[in-house]
Amino acid sequence: MAKMVSRTVDLRSDTVTKPTESMRAAMAAADVDDDVFGHDPTALRLETEMARITGKEAALFVPSGTMGNLISVLVHCDIRGNEVILGDNAHIHIYENGGISTIGGVHPRPVKNNQDGTMDIDLIEAAIRDPREVLYYPTTRLICLENTHANTGGKCLSVEYTDKVGELAKKHGLKLHIDGARIFNASVALGIPVHRLVQAADSVSVCLSKGLGAPVGSVIVGSKSFIAKAKILRKTLGGGMRQVGILCAAALVAVQENVEKLEGDHKNAKILAEGLNQMKGIRIDVASVETNIIFFEVEESSKITAEKLCKYLEEHGILVMQESLSKVRIVVHHQISESDVQYTLSCFQQALTGVQDQNGI
Ligand SMILES: Cc1ncc(COP(=O)(O)O)c(C=O)c1O
Ligand SMILES: C[C@@H](O)[C@H](N)C(=O)O
């Protein structure tokens, strides 16, 4: 008989949050208009605010981070066969259906991602190609970074590193795009304003639907001419929406109310990581947990496999993401409480040792 789940702690991703009451109220009251014919007034407010926060000339609301990255790459790489240098473990390269190639005819030139989310600058420079030098080369037009870097565990790229990559791009006449799905997490963790972190970038895609907790949407930012081209491409891709202010109203609340909660997410992630580190059968590098993403390994010596552990957790209402035979991901967000963290650790303890703790779990 399946155990009734009385409590759910959803740690699969920071994309799972539900809109808050203040977001729902803002959505219901949103001032809207047709954003294809002109400008939805709430979309305009959000775009103006995001341009201000990121220090860029202009901004554009898009339905998803995937579309934000796709549009940005395609605006910079506007000739079929252009090449983009990006991390071999970058979200754009791994989790976006190869859209830059299938839709945009852009060729990816992956460079090894280091454990800290960076790519070695000399390897980036060595990857730059130009058919005027070697006839059979594509033309490199763009370098993409990701901050924080999700697949290395939410690692923060420093402003110094970002500026160096920006200088390299300029030196070679290239553009720099930052997949800033979690740029606010990086800003809070580093104590550096978003606009300074992305200063070197020609474009940034910022997710409002991740740690900030908006139900839908991202915003791309850049120069006025970049955003003008992006707006056309958004329409081409079917991303031009009508009374989009309903979504932008929630996104505005997310930006106004939830940035300050990110530090708490990072603290909860650290508490979780430190707790897991005490458990026999779990291998985790606590120091590597910089923001809200945790990766850990279930050791071969463990009494339980990763698959069985995830199943046990699910039976107790805890949802995590199994990444491989032994690797599991946890992502903390603002709707995970400290008590959820303690409950999660208790369930891990029980699964790994079979011993009930003082909570009787
Ligand atoms: C680093 C990163 N970039 C881009 C995306 C894509 O965002 P979306 O899910 O809104 O398409 C995600 C995940 O969702 C992500 O983790
Ligand atoms: C899975 C991936 O697409 C998503 N960005 C996440 O981190 O949950």
Side-chain angles (χ1 to χ4, degrees):
M1 171 76 163
K3 184 175 180 204
M4 280 296 286
V5 172
S6 60
R7 176 176 189 173
T8 298
V9 181
D10 195 344
L11 298 163
R12 290 173 295 166
S13 176
D14 47 5
T15 60
V16 302
T17 54
K18 304 290 189 292
T20 61
E21 283 314 307
S22 51
M23 287 177 190
R24 291 177 189 274
M27 293 168 83
D31 183 9
V32 295
D33 201 339
D34 187 319
D35 199 50
V36 171
F37 284 159
H39 240 128
D40 175 292
T42 307
L44 188 55
R45 276 179 51 218
L46 174 68
E47 290 162 351
T48 304
E49 177 64 357
M50 289 306 292
R52 181 190 69 79
I53 289 172
T54 57
K56 302 301 179 188
E57 284 183 346
L60 185 71
F61 181 82
V62 289
S64 67
T66 298
M67 189 183 282
N69 286 326
L70 178 62
I71 289 173
S72 298
V73 172
L74 268 49
V75 169
H76 293 309
C77 300
D78 55 356
I79 299 170
R80 292 189 72 77
N82 279 163
E83 193 160 68
V84 54
I85 294 171
L86 75 178
D88 64 345
N89 208 359
H91 193 275
I92 293 176
H93 195 51
I94 309 282
Y95 292 113
E96 299 183 11
N97 305 92
I100 62 171
S101 307
T102 53
I103 296 172
V106 178
H107 190 248
R109 176 82 162 156
V111 170
K112 185 182 175 310
N113 268 128
N114 299 314
Q115 269 312 305
D116 63 359
T118 64
M119 296 176 276
D120 288 349
I121 290 184
D122 55 345
L123 294 181
I124 295 176
E125 187 158 33
I128 296 170
R129 304 202 283 179
D130 185 332
R132 288 170 300 182
E133 288 158 21
V134 181
L135 187 62
Y136 40 75
Y137 280 173
T139 306
T140 306
R141 297 292 293 271
L142 177 67
I143 300 169
C144 287
L145 296 177
E146 183 178 314
N147 195 9
T148 63
H149 193 277
N151 254 11
T152 52
K155 295 289 192 307
C156 301
L157 300 191
S158 71
V159 67
E160 293 76 16
Y161 172 80
T162 307
D163 287 354
K164 280 203 186 87
V165 176
E167 286 156 21
L168 178 70
K170 277 195 173 40
K171 174 181 163 190
H172 292 277
L174 308 179
K175 298 294 185 186
L176 172 62
H177 172 69
I178 294 177
D179 175 355
R182 297 181 179 87
I183 195 70
F184 281 96
N185 291 83
S187 169
V188 165
L190 295 172
I192 294 176
V194 169
H195 66 81
R196 182 61 191 90
L197 268 182
V198 302
Q199 184 177 299
D202 297 283
S203 59
V204 190
S205 176
V206 183
C207 284
L208 302 167
S209 58
K210 300 231 162 17
L212 297 190
V216 173
S218 288
V219 172
I220 49 182
V221 294
S223 68
K224 282 185 181 150
S225 64
F226 171 84
I227 292 297
K229 290 173 192 164
K231 188 166 188 174
I232 295 167
L233 200 46
R234 180 185 70 173
K235 187 71 181 75
T236 308
L237 294 169
M241 296 182 281
R242 302 300 174 174
Q243 288 67 34
V244 73
I246 291 176
L247 301 177
C248 294
L252 266 168
V253 170
V255 173
Q256 289 152 4
E257 295 185 357
N258 289 350
V259 174
E260 62 191 30
K261 298 176 185 172
L262 294 177
E263 190 176 1
D265 297 345
H266 300 170
K267 280 190 183 129
N268 278 338
K270 206 58 133 172
I271 293 168
L272 256 177
E274 283 160 353
L276 291 174
N277 193 38
Q278 306 300 316
M279 297 182 192
K280 198 166 173 309
I282 296 281
R283 188 170 59 249
I284 186 169
D285 174 7
V286 177
S288 75
V289 178
E290 297 178 2
T291 54
N292 67 325
I293 299 177
I294 300 169
F295 283 111
F296 67 85
E297 297 279 339
V298 178
E299 293 178 315
E300 275 194 30
S301 60
S302 166
K303 293 167 62 106
I304 191 171
T305 63
E307 186 182 4
K308 287 201 164 60
L309 171 62
C310 294
K311 190 168 179 332
Y312 178 93
L313 293 171
E314 187 175 359
E315 287 166 358
H316 289 75
I318 295 166
L319 306 178
V320 296
M321 189 90 84
Q322 187 174 352
E323 296 281 328
S324 73
L325 267 179
S326 61
K327 191 174 178 183
V328 179
R329 185 186 79 164
I330 285 175
V331 183
V332 177
H333 50 80
H334 79 96
Q335 289 173 342
I336 298 297
S337 65
E338 285 181 26
S339 126
D340 289 331
V341 168
Q342 294 308 320
Y343 172 66
T344 300
L345 288 171
S346 300
C347 290
F348 266 91
Q349 184 72 45
Q350 218 275 351
L352 290 160
T353 61
V355 174
Q356 282 194 347
D357 67 3
Q358 70 279 9
N359 298 321
I361 291 166

